[in-house]
Amino acid sequence: MIRIAQLGLVLAAAALWVASRMSWVDVTSFDGLGQPTTVALSGASWSTALVPLAVLLLATAVAALAVRGWPLRMLAVLAGITSAGMAYLGISLWVTGDVGVRASNLADAPVADLVGTQRHYGGAVITVVAAVVTLACAVLLLRSATTERSGATRYTRRTAVQTQQPDDAISERQLWDALDEGLDPTQDRTNPDNKGR
């Protein structure tokens, strides 16, 4: 499960990088002097957290190779929080009523010269899909950490049972000493009359 989760995190990071290169918002402005100009805002410009989140996903995928137990569970929680942030970045493009003011600021165009904006949802869709994949990978990491812990607990219990000896157990050396003395080591040692016949 860890390998599948790592692959999913790498794919999600690649999807974020692709989304950061795509155009999210087009800003058209006109200053009254020349032709209207259109500036395309990429995902990295519109949502500056896309690339850092992609790097974080790659770091999480690499770290999953080296950690086990509670650190792995912490990585799973981190991946889950990251997926929530990614989903927010993608969904915010849909739910924001007016992107004109923010788009004009990012495009260095005065709001007074703003003619119109156009949204492109492809990058946002990819970001939301990557968030879903990341959440699934977080669940896989968490389940893997839980499974390893329960397996280690079972192994510890089995080892304890195997190494546990009854109070009246005797060592191999004591067995040979008893045989040398003519005693039967398989008989009750509390019985004084246990000499071999």
Side-chain angles (χ1 to χ4, degrees):
M1 286 191 294
I2 294 180
R3 295 293 183 268
I4 296 175
Q6 288 175 313
L7 178 61
L9 291 175
V10 171
L11 292 177
L16 283 185
W17 184 82
V18 171
S20 70
R21 308 297 294 176
M22 297 176 65
S23 177
W24 283 41
V25 178
D26 289 340
V27 183
T28 302
S29 61
F30 178 61
D31 59 3
L33 299 177
Q35 295 294 325
T37 58
T38 300
V39 177
L41 298 175
S42 66
S45 299
W46 182 258
S47 298
T48 56
L50 284 178
V51 175
L53 286 176
V55 174
L56 180 60
L57 289 180
L58 288 177
T60 303
V62 173
L65 287 171
V67 297
R68 292 294 182 270
W70 69 265
L72 186 60
R73 288 194 291 274
M74 293 299 294
L75 280 180
V77 172
L78 178 62
I81 295 173
T82 304
S83 70
M86 294 160 54
Y88 170 77
L89 293 178
I91 294 174
S92 64
L93 186 65
W94 283 301
V95 300
T96 302
D98 184 16
V99 298
V101 175
R102 183 164 185 264
S104 63
N105 290 333
L106 293 175
D108 293 329
V111 179
D113 296 342
L114 184 64
V115 175
T117 58
Q118 182 180 1
R119 308 183 201 194
H120 302 283
Y121 296 103
V125 170
I126 292 175
T127 302
V128 173
V129 171
V132 173
V133 172
T134 302
L135 182 60
C137 294
V139 172
L140 286 177
L141 289 176
L142 189 60
R143 288 185 60 188
S144 177
T146 304
T147 302
E148 287 182 356
R149 181 180 180 184
S150 61
T153 303
R154 287 196 301 269
Y155 175 78
T156 303
R157 289 177 180 173
R158 184 167 59 247
T159 303
V161 169
Q162 290 174 349
T163 57
Q164 186 178 14
Q165 294 182 347
D167 294 337
D168 60 346
I170 58 176
S171 67
E172 183 179 353
R173 180 63 183 171
Q174 290 172 325
L175 288 174
W176 285 111
D177 290 342
L179 290 174
D180 290 340
E181 295 175 5
L183 302 176
D184 185 358
T186 62
Q187 297 297 322
D188 185 5
R189 287 178 290 166
T190 59
N191 184 2
D193 187 19
N194 64 346
K195 292 188 176 182
R197 297 289 185 265

